Amino acid sequence: MVPKRVLSVPHLSEGSNQDLSLESTLDELPLYDFSVESSSLGVEVARTFEKYPRLPGAILLDRGEFVGMISRQRLLEYLLRPHGMEIFLHEPLDVLYSYARTEVLVVPGSKPILTAAQQALRRSGELLGEPVVVETATKTYKLLDIHELNIAYWQIRGIETQVRYERAQAQMIQSEKMANLGRLVDGLAHEILDPVNFIWGNLTHLTNYSEGLLQLMAAYEAKLTDGSEEISALKQEMEFDFLQQDMSQAIGSIKTGAERLKKLATSLQNFCHIDEIYPKPADLNACLDSIVLLLKSRLSSEIEIVKNYGLLPPVTCYIGQLNQVFMNILTNAVDALLNEAVHQKLARSFNEEGEKNSTGKPRIEITTKVCSLDSDARWVSISIADNGPGLSPKAQKQILESFSIAKRSEKETSLALSYRIVTAKHGGKFLMRSCSGELGESLLGSGTEFEILLPLV
């Protein structure tokens, strides 16, 4: 008579007490710890299944090494077949396992629940009810009930849906705020343009009037043979000679100020353009000029702007959204260059060697052109490149990850928003190139470049 073998007692881990999230892994779920040697008899495992009705299966070991898994469903299925009791009940488990061998899904415990559930659902129909084998960090194997995995999966999907709903609501509110702000700024720019146009229109007349008066006074002075002492004293008191020379310069300065104010108000109107339902043709070079003008207060004399504009046809687009993309990229470039310029100034103040080895002036190059990526398609390329220190590999990885849908749900960055506007809204491409180096090197050697490609239709 074969002695009755005592199997280990199944143990169910409690899992994590934290709420599930989009990044939750299998290690956070309740896992069954029940391993048996493949030489154990089928009847011994059957008794354990009968004693623990929720136990989904057993991990099979051969001298302590993992060889597979047999589920409760699979064991009972073969025992209930004709003559199954006689054939399998008193035979070692490896006999049944070799006869009923099925594909076992083994996944690491660090795998996200969402990914593991999708992998389990891709199995064939007869395997959908089979438990999943989870390999822990200590190289031990545990069982995950497929129902527990499905419940966790749908809980997380519910969380994801809620997050997306809340984000959509927040975006709607933000869009409405931006639209209201755009209307407000547009109205303000319009109110500025009205008096500016009034000033600009009257400056022409004022110029003509002043020139006429000066000519009249010159004619009177030429006809008066004997100068009046009173007139001479008055001319000396008002510095007539200086006034005569400076009047045209003062009027010219007023014209220049009015022109700058007019350009600034027009740039505000262009930047706060409210997109309509359908895209419209736009002059991208003019839009870039408007945004550079709005950033002029931050540029001062520290940063040089180089414009290499090509001849662009009107591009059909949502120009209000593209303006936001250009603003985001240029703002990031200005921030990087200003930070590096300040850093180098501080370094030079403490180290005279730094002054000798100082590199070129911070620079942003904006290049626009029409190009062909393949034989039939034409694209408009807008490249914004700086000669800054470049991005570290870690920073580049974070930016590229933020372009994915999964990471975008965590935090909406300005570059991720720009990526979505260019790719999803305009069917274009959003490319990033960066190489670490010293400020002032060739743009081919260091710096960061963002290139936007928009299809020409």
Side-chain angles (χ1 to χ4, degrees), residues 242-261:
F242 173 77
L243 184 149
Q244 192 174 11
Q245 296 175 2
D246 191 58
M247 182 175 290
S248 59
Q249 295 180 5
I251 294 175
S253 298
I254 296 173
K255 281 185 177 181
T256 302
E259 185 178 6
R260 288 182 61 183
L261 190 57

Side-chain angles (χ1 to χ4, degrees), residues 197-271:
N197 289 331
F198 174 78
I199 296 171
W200 184 263
N202 283 282
L203 276 174
T204 303
H205 301 301
L206 181 61
T207 303
N208 295 333
Y209 296 159
S210 61
E211 289 177 353
L213 288 173
L214 290 174
Q215 289 175 2
L216 179 61
M217 292 181 68
Y220 270 115
E221 189 174 3
K223 292 296 183 181
L224 291 174
T225 55
D226 298 327
S228 169
E229 293 183 2
E230 184 179 353
I231 294 176
S232 298
L234 183 61
K235 289 175 63 176
Q236 187 174 0
E237 181 181 351
M238 66 187 306
E239 298 182 348
F240 180 76
D241 294 337
F242 173 77
L243 184 149
Q244 192 174 11
Q245 296 175 2
D246 191 58
M247 182 175 290
S248 59
Q249 295 180 5
I251 294 175
S253 298
I254 296 173
K255 281 185 177 181
T256 302
E259 185 178 6
R260 288 182 61 183
L261 190 57
K262 184 177 181 180
K263 286 182 179 179
L264 180 60
T266 304
S267 297
L268 281 173
Q269 283 185 319
N270 292 337
F271 180 72

